[in-house]
Amino acid sequence: MRTSDAGHAGREIIAYLKAADSMAADQRMHLYGGGAVAELEEKLRRHYHKKYALCVSNATMGLLAVGLAAGLKGDDFITTPYTYGATVAGWLHLGNSPVFADIEADTLALDCESVKKAISKNTRAVLAVDIHGTPHDMKGLRKIADEYGLLYVSDSAQSFGGSRDGLPAGSVADVFVVSFTAGKPLFAGEGAAILTDDPALYEKLIWFTQHPLRQRRDIGLRLDNEFALNARLHPLAAVWANAVFEGSLERLKARQKRCFDIIKALNEIGLTENVDFASRGIVPTFFSLTAAWKSGKAQGDLLTRRLREYGFRMNVDHSPVRLLYRQPAFMGQYGSALGENTRRCRQAERQSRCRFCLIEEE
Ligand SMILES: *Cc1c(COP(=O)(O)O)cnc(C)c1O
């Protein structure tokens, strides 16, 4: 966070504390989704051009809520093994079975052909991920979801501010989730939001995760649900997110420009597999800047030296992604729940061997 952003957020937070200290009404505002929560949801609706935005406590809960609202229970869903476990944690808790499909070599996101092959009569949904903040193939997955009648969900936790073909990352899915936790393009301590155009899904999300005050305000229920899981965003996180919203997008633009310059240098140096996001209309957030060794041959010292000649002081680090089905914690708890048609994913395996992260020296 820049100092000016931090100062602005600090003043806004103090203003909230003062108001909430003296007024019970101000304390209750976020229960019905008013105040800073309403303001943040409005900013998000505008940014994504979506009808509904719902702030939640974090993206893991947000994805769980989507599974609850969509009635996913004991169903198969297709997803990528090349992600962080929180992508699937909620749906696994609901007793659903993941079917892993393979990924593309450059975006590291779901490969549409592989998704098609993984579809069976038990498939209800496809859960895509913008891993490293690189938007997945939204047009391709939209087409498949429509053709096979699948719910199309995107874990866009890392991709706020990214786009593909001019569309915000995740926004072509039926519903998608963004995160505001550490390292994400918009950082507000903790927090997340769910976005959709689907009124029925939105009502169920409110019913299952929000306070009766908000249930009544948003869906006008005479019968309210005290048995909802509390997935509300902390009001201070909303105040914070509002204060840094525009600044974060601006700062992200600078990072995107710099990462595209680094990619240009990498392509010229030629030790890594060529990357061409620009001509395909892909604008990642570069949550992580990654590259893959050409023919799997790691040459970290040479690459660091060559990048210096281009004026970039970078360190080579391991990729943080561990394939889900290679993790003992996954196999121990959920290995027996693997869905029909799941398979080993050749490209994902290959990428987990030859991918690395590039981290800028301070
Ligand atoms: C950060 C992250 C999540 C979880 O977000 P939280 O808000 O911390 O729950 C889920 N999926 C991916 C891909 C993430 O990077």
Side-chain angles (χ1 to χ4, degrees), residues 311-324:
F312 299 116
R313 300 171 75 87
M314 316 281 299
N315 289 320
V316 168
D317 202 359
H318 292 290
S319 163
V321 175
R322 299 178 293 160
L323 296 190
L324 299 189

Side-chain angles (χ1 to χ4, degrees), residues 15-148:
Y16 173 88
L17 293 176
K18 280 186 178 151
D21 190 39
S22 54
M23 295 286 292
D26 286 298
Q27 282 179 19
R28 277 202 303 271
M29 211 136 59
H30 72 286
L31 295 184
Y32 58 81
V37 169
E39 188 184 332
L40 179 56
E41 289 174 350
E42 171 64 22
K43 281 181 198 281
L44 289 163
R45 278 197 300 272
R46 253 195 256 140
H47 175 83
Y48 282 110
H49 306 289
K50 288 279 134 185
K51 285 204 186 93
Y52 305 101
L54 174 61
C55 288
V56 287
S57 50
N58 58 66
T60 312
M61 279 302 292
L63 287 159
L64 170 67
V66 168
L68 272 173
L72 292 175
K73 216 173 188 184
D75 292 307
D76 279 11
F77 65 98
I78 296 171
T79 193
T80 162
Y82 198 90
T83 185
Y84 181 69
T87 297
V88 293
W91 292 18
L92 293 175
H93 272 279
L94 295 174
N96 297 296
S97 300
V99 174
F100 293 116
D102 211 349
I103 58 171
E104 299 178 332
D106 55 352
T107 63
L108 307 175
L110 278 176
D111 173 78
C112 286
E113 282 312 307
S114 182
V115 168
K116 263 193 183 169
K117 284 186 197 142
I119 294 172
S120 78
K121 61 180 190 318
N122 298 329
T123 311
R124 280 237 14 235
V126 52
L127 175 51
V129 183
D130 298 325
I131 195 69
H132 302 317
T134 308
H136 67 272
D137 181 357
M138 295 186 280
K139 277 188 187 155
L141 281 187
R142 180 74 267 165
K143 200 156 159 259
I144 293 173
D146 289 343
E147 189 178 337
Y148 293 89

